[in-house]
Amino acid sequence: MKLLIIGANGQLGQDCLQTLTPQHTVLCCDVQEVDITDAPQVAGLFATHQPEAVINCAAYTAVDACETDQQRCMEVNAHGPQLLAEQCDKYNSRIIQISTDYVYDGKTSGTATIPRRRRDYAPFNVWKKQTQRR
């Protein structure tokens, strides 16, 4: 399978690369190659590589900075994945979106769907507040 790992330079991205390379064709990119908040860049990435599946390991993870720079946090952690999902839909690709317990509490089994019930969210952070508005 042709996989595209977004955020490949981070710890999670590197772990995915190491684990998946023996069985799959793995393409990697990070913020230096594509800004996932930029629709034309994301579209170009998909047009060039046409992955069968995308693993999004990219995230704005500095919790304190997310509290003070809420706009950038939302761009990277919500708008970017939305752009990736739209391109996956266009190219009939699958997407794996990685989250943390700062968003979901991990107590619900199965596939995450939107909208989630309020009890499924961790009790704190800006992202939680934003998701509850939807």
mmCIF file of all heavy atoms in Angstrom, residues 6-7 14 36 41 43 46 52 57 61 70 74 81 83 87 94 99 102-103 106 108 110 113-116 120 122:
data_model
loop_
_atom_site.group_PDB
_atom_site.id
_atom_site.type_symbol
_atom_site.label_atom_id
_atom_site.label_comp_id
_atom_site.label_asym_id
_atom_site.label_seq_id
_atom_site.Cartn_x
_atom_site.Cartn_y
_atom_site.Cartn_z
ATOM 1 N N ILE A 6 2.237 12.315 7.242
ATOM 2 C CA ILE A 6 2.340 13.752 7.439
ATOM 3 C C ILE A 6 2.883 13.956 8.858
ATOM 4 O O ILE A 6 2.400 13.340 9.798
ATOM 5 C CB ILE A 6 0.969 14.450 7.316
ATOM 6 C CG1 ILE A 6 0.263 14.071 6.017
ATOM 7 C CG2 ILE A 6 1.095 15.945 7.484
ATOM 8 C CD1 ILE A 6 0.789 14.688 4.779
ATOM 9 N N GLY A 7 3.849 14.845 9.017
ATOM 10 C CA GLY A 7 4.474 15.025 10.325
ATOM 11 C C GLY A 7 5.497 13.932 10.582
ATOM 12 O O GLY A 7 5.678 13.472 11.711
ATOM 13 N N GLN A 14 8.155 9.195 13.066
ATOM 14 C CA GLN A 14 9.318 8.307 12.930
ATOM 15 C C GLN A 14 8.965 6.878 13.337
ATOM 16 O O GLN A 14 9.400 5.923 12.687
ATOM 17 C CB GLN A 14 10.488 8.830 13.768
ATOM 18 C CG GLN A 14 11.148 10.066 13.183
ATOM 19 C CD GLN A 14 11.833 9.754 11.865
ATOM 20 O OE1 GLN A 14 12.744 8.938 11.802
ATOM 21 N NE2 GLN A 14 11.383 10.401 10.807
ATOM 22 N N ILE A 36 0.112 21.945 6.109
ATOM 23 C CA ILE A 36 -1.211 21.323 5.995
ATOM 24 C C ILE A 36 -2.355 22.313 6.154
ATOM 25 O O ILE A 36 -3.503 21.967 5.897
ATOM 26 C CB ILE A 36 -1.388 20.142 6.975
ATOM 27 C CG1 ILE A 36 -1.348 20.595 8.434
ATOM 28 C CG2 ILE A 36 -0.384 19.046 6.685
ATOM 29 C CD1 ILE A 36 -1.811 19.531 9.415
ATOM 30 N N GLN A 41 -1.211 23.794 -1.225
ATOM 31 C CA GLN A 41 -0.086 22.901 -0.949
ATOM 32 C C GLN A 41 -0.569 21.474 -0.703
ATOM 33 O O GLN A 41 0.026 20.511 -1.201
ATOM 34 C CB GLN A 41 0.720 23.388 0.254
ATOM 35 C CG GLN A 41 1.608 24.579 -0.041
ATOM 36 C CD GLN A 41 2.529 24.877 1.135
ATOM 37 O OE1 GLN A 41 2.986 23.979 1.843
ATOM 38 N NE2 GLN A 41 2.811 26.163 1.331
ATOM 39 N N ALA A 43 -3.393 20.141 -1.768
ATOM 40 C CA ALA A 43 -3.895 19.618 -3.042
ATOM 41 C C ALA A 43 -2.744 19.181 -3.943
ATOM 42 O O ALA A 43 -2.811 18.124 -4.586
ATOM 43 C CB ALA A 43 -4.753 20.675 -3.737
ATOM 44 N N PHE A 46 -1.262 15.791 -2.820
ATOM 45 C CA PHE A 46 -2.087 14.657 -3.232
ATOM 46 C C PHE A 46 -2.025 14.433 -4.734
ATOM 47 O O PHE A 46 -1.975 13.284 -5.186
ATOM 48 C CB PHE A 46 -3.536 14.851 -2.771
ATOM 49 C CG PHE A 46 -3.779 14.394 -1.373
ATOM 50 C CD1 PHE A 46 -3.384 15.169 -0.300
ATOM 51 C CD2 PHE A 46 -4.398 13.180 -1.111
ATOM 52 C CE1 PHE A 46 -3.601 14.759 0.998
ATOM 53 C CE2 PHE A 46 -4.616 12.753 0.183
ATOM 54 C CZ PHE A 46 -4.217 13.542 1.253
ATOM 55 N N GLU A 52 -2.695 5.964 -1.128
ATOM 56 C CA GLU A 52 -3.862 5.130 -0.832
ATOM 57 C C GLU A 52 -4.366 5.403 0.584
ATOM 58 O O GLU A 52 -5.543 5.216 0.873
ATOM 59 C CB GLU A 52 -3.507 3.658 -0.978
ATOM 60 C CG GLU A 52 -3.165 3.266 -2.403
ATOM 61 C CD GLU A 52 -2.663 1.841 -2.471
ATOM 62 O OE1 GLU A 52 -3.498 0.916 -2.322
ATOM 63 O OE2 GLU A 52 -1.453 1.659 -2.661
ATOM 64 N N CYS A 57 0.295 12.622 11.467
ATOM 65 C CA CYS A 57 0.985 12.733 12.754
ATOM 66 C C CYS A 57 1.303 14.191 13.078
ATOM 67 O O CYS A 57 1.894 14.481 14.117
ATOM 68 C CB CYS A 57 2.285 11.925 12.725
ATOM 69 S SG CYS A 57 2.051 10.176 12.407
ATOM 70 N N THR A 61 1.422 20.799 19.224
ATOM 71 C CA THR A 61 1.330 20.060 20.485
ATOM 72 C C THR A 61 1.818 20.808 21.715
ATOM 73 O O THR A 61 1.743 20.270 22.810
ATOM 74 C CB THR A 61 2.127 18.746 20.381
ATOM 75 O OG1 THR A 61 3.485 19.063 20.080
ATOM 76 C CG2 THR A 61 1.549 17.834 19.313
ATOM 77 N N GLN A 70 -4.475 30.418 20.084
ATOM 78 C CA GLN A 70 -5.605 29.551 19.768
ATOM 79 C C GLN A 70 -5.867 29.462 18.276
ATOM 80 O O GLN A 70 -6.233 28.403 17.766
ATOM 81 C CB GLN A 70 -6.847 30.041 20.497
ATOM 82 C CG GLN A 70 -6.720 29.936 21.992
ATOM 83 C CD GLN A 70 -7.933 30.495 22.725
ATOM 84 O OE1 GLN A 70 -9.003 30.627 22.149
ATOM 85 N NE2 GLN A 70 -7.759 30.817 23.996
ATOM 86 N N MET A 74 -5.904 25.952 16.179
ATOM 87 C CA MET A 74 -7.051 25.497 15.398
ATOM 88 C C MET A 74 -6.684 25.270 13.930
ATOM 89 O O MET A 74 -7.182 24.336 13.299
ATOM 90 C CB MET A 74 -8.212 26.486 15.522
ATOM 91 C CG MET A 74 -8.866 26.476 16.889
ATOM 92 S SD MET A 74 -9.529 24.864 17.361
ATOM 93 C CE MET A 74 -10.785 24.631 16.121
ATOM 94 N N PRO A 81 -6.193 19.005 9.293
ATOM 95 C CA PRO A 81 -6.786 17.679 9.102
ATOM 96 C C PRO A 81 -8.028 17.699 8.213
ATOM 97 O O PRO A 81 -8.274 16.754 7.461
ATOM 98 C CB PRO A 81 -7.131 17.245 10.527
ATOM 99 C CG PRO A 81 -6.104 17.939 11.365
ATOM 100 C CD PRO A 81 -5.939 19.295 10.707
ATOM 101 N N LEU A 83 -8.472 19.709 5.636
ATOM 102 C CA LEU A 83 -7.965 19.762 4.265
ATOM 103 C C LEU A 83 -7.446 18.403 3.818
ATOM 104 O O LEU A 83 -7.680 17.985 2.671
ATOM 105 C CB LEU A 83 -6.865 20.820 4.140
ATOM 106 C CG LEU A 83 -7.293 22.269 4.333
ATOM 107 C CD1 LEU A 83 -6.077 23.192 4.296
ATOM 108 C CD2 LEU A 83 -8.317 22.679 3.272
ATOM 109 N N GLN A 87 -8.997 16.029 0.682
ATOM 110 C CA GLN A 87 -8.200 15.458 -0.404
ATOM 111 C C GLN A 87 -8.290 13.929 -0.395
ATOM 112 O O GLN A 87 -8.314 13.298 -1.455
ATOM 113 C CB GLN A 87 -6.747 15.922 -0.325
ATOM 114 C CG GLN A 87 -6.562 17.385 -0.661
ATOM 115 C CD GLN A 87 -7.002 17.701 -2.090
ATOM 116 O OE1 GLN A 87 -6.627 17.030 -3.042
ATOM 117 N NE2 GLN A 87 -7.810 18.749 -2.227
ATOM 118 N N ARG A 94 -7.754 6.609 2.316
ATOM 119 C CA ARG A 94 -8.138 6.505 3.724
ATOM 120 C C ARG A 94 -7.271 7.468 4.524
ATOM 121 O O ARG A 94 -6.164 7.793 4.114
ATOM 122 C CB ARG A 94 -7.948 5.095 4.234
ATOM 123 C CG ARG A 94 -8.860 4.108 3.541
ATOM 124 C CD ARG A 94 -8.629 2.718 4.081
ATOM 125 N NE ARG A 94 -9.512 1.785 3.430
ATOM 126 C CZ ARG A 94 -10.670 1.361 3.951
ATOM 127 N NH1 ARG A 94 -11.059 1.805 5.118
ATOM 128 N NH2 ARG A 94 -11.408 0.502 3.308
ATOM 129 N N SER A 99 -4.903 11.470 17.594
ATOM 130 C CA SER A 99 -5.296 12.439 18.604
ATOM 131 C C SER A 99 -4.622 12.060 19.920
ATOM 132 O O SER A 99 -3.846 11.125 19.985
ATOM 133 C CB SER A 99 -6.819 12.467 18.746
ATOM 134 O OG SER A 99 -7.198 13.508 19.611
ATOM 135 N N TYR A 102 -5.715 14.720 25.419
ATOM 136 C CA TYR A 102 -6.100 16.111 25.651
ATOM 137 C C TYR A 102 -7.377 16.445 24.895
ATOM 138 O O TYR A 102 -8.030 17.426 25.179
ATOM 139 C CB TYR A 102 -4.995 17.083 25.228
ATOM 140 C CG TYR A 102 -3.884 17.168 26.238
ATOM 141 C CD1 TYR A 102 -2.677 16.535 26.012
ATOM 142 C CD2 TYR A 102 -4.046 17.875 27.420
ATOM 143 C CE1 TYR A 102 -1.659 16.604 26.939
ATOM 144 C CE2 TYR A 102 -3.039 17.949 28.354
ATOM 145 C CZ TYR A 102 -1.842 17.310 28.107
ATOM 146 O OH TYR A 102 -0.843 17.379 29.027
ATOM 147 N N VAL A 103 -7.731 15.633 23.897
ATOM 148 C CA VAL A 103 -8.964 15.839 23.152
ATOM 149 C C VAL A 103 -9.977 14.762 23.519
ATOM 150 O O VAL A 103 -11.080 15.044 23.925
ATOM 151 C CB VAL A 103 -8.699 15.838 21.629
ATOM 152 C CG1 VAL A 103 -10.005 16.016 20.872
ATOM 153 C CG2 VAL A 103 -7.712 16.928 21.258
ATOM 154 N N GLY A 106 -10.138 8.533 25.691
ATOM 155 C CA GLY A 106 -9.696 7.169 25.471
ATOM 156 C C GLY A 106 -10.589 6.113 26.092
ATOM 157 O O GLY A 106 -10.293 4.922 26.053
ATOM 158 N N THR A 108 -13.796 5.531 25.202
ATOM 159 C CA THR A 108 -14.767 5.038 24.247
ATOM 160 C C THR A 108 -14.069 4.133 23.251
ATOM 161 O O THR A 108 -13.069 4.518 22.659
ATOM 162 C CB THR A 108 -15.435 6.217 23.500
ATOM 163 O OG1 THR A 108 -16.029 7.085 24.464
ATOM 164 C CG2 THR A 108 -16.489 5.728 22.543
ATOM 165 N N GLY A 110 -13.838 1.786 19.731
ATOM 166 C CA GLY A 110 -14.325 1.891 18.366
ATOM 167 C C GLY A 110 -13.831 3.138 17.672
ATOM 168 O O GLY A 110 -12.943 3.834 18.152
ATOM 169 N N THR A 113 -16.267 9.314 15.850
ATOM 170 C CA THR A 113 -17.131 9.965 14.871
ATOM 171 C C THR A 113 -17.428 11.367 15.357
ATOM 172 O O THR A 113 -17.301 11.674 16.532
ATOM 173 C CB THR A 113 -18.457 9.202 14.697
ATOM 174 O OG1 THR A 113 -19.104 9.095 15.972
ATOM 175 C CG2 THR A 113 -18.227 7.805 14.124
ATOM 176 N N ILE A 114 -17.831 12.213 14.442
ATOM 177 C CA ILE A 114 -18.166 13.586 14.783
ATOM 178 C C ILE A 114 -19.643 13.764 14.508
ATOM 179 O O ILE A 114 -20.126 13.371 13.453
ATOM 180 C CB ILE A 114 -17.344 14.572 13.935
ATOM 181 C CG1 ILE A 114 -15.864 14.365 14.257
ATOM 182 C CG2 ILE A 114 -17.761 16.003 14.153
ATOM 183 C CD1 ILE A 114 -14.922 15.155 13.396
ATOM 184 N N PRO A 115 -20.463 14.332 15.362
ATOM 185 C CA PRO A 115 -20.042 14.913 16.636
ATOM 186 C C PRO A 115 -19.958 13.855 17.728
ATOM 187 O O PRO A 115 -20.715 12.908 17.740
ATOM 188 C CB PRO A 115 -21.141 15.925 16.944
ATOM 189 C CG PRO A 115 -22.366 15.345 16.312
ATOM 190 C CD PRO A 115 -21.876 14.602 15.078
ATOM 191 N N ARG A 116 -19.052 14.052 18.633
ATOM 192 C CA ARG A 116 -18.915 13.185 19.797
ATOM 193 C C ARG A 116 -19.719 13.797 20.938
ATOM 194 O O ARG A 116 -19.926 14.994 21.005
ATOM 195 C CB ARG A 116 -17.440 13.092 20.228
ATOM 196 C CG ARG A 116 -16.512 12.506 19.188
ATOM 197 C CD ARG A 116 -16.655 10.995 19.066
ATOM 198 N NE ARG A 116 -16.350 10.311 20.284
ATOM 199 C CZ ARG A 116 -15.232 9.640 20.515
ATOM 200 N NH1 ARG A 116 -14.311 9.572 19.601
ATOM 201 N NH2 ARG A 116 -15.039 9.040 21.662
ATOM 202 N N ASP A 120 -17.158 12.448 26.057
ATOM 203 C CA ASP A 120 -16.018 11.799 25.414
ATOM 204 C C ASP A 120 -14.783 12.680 25.371
ATOM 205 O O ASP A 120 -13.724 12.231 24.941
ATOM 206 C CB ASP A 120 -16.369 11.381 23.977
ATOM 207 C CG ASP A 120 -17.412 10.276 23.954
ATOM 208 O OD1 ASP A 120 -17.498 9.525 24.938
ATOM 209 O OD2 ASP A 120 -18.129 10.175 22.947
ATOM 210 N N ALA A 122 -11.757 15.128 26.976
ATOM 211 C CA ALA A 122 -11.007 15.392 28.197
ATOM 212 C C ALA A 122 -11.544 16.679 28.812
ATOM 213 O O ALA A 122 -12.065 17.534 28.106
ATOM 214 C CB ALA A 122 -9.517 15.514 27.887
#
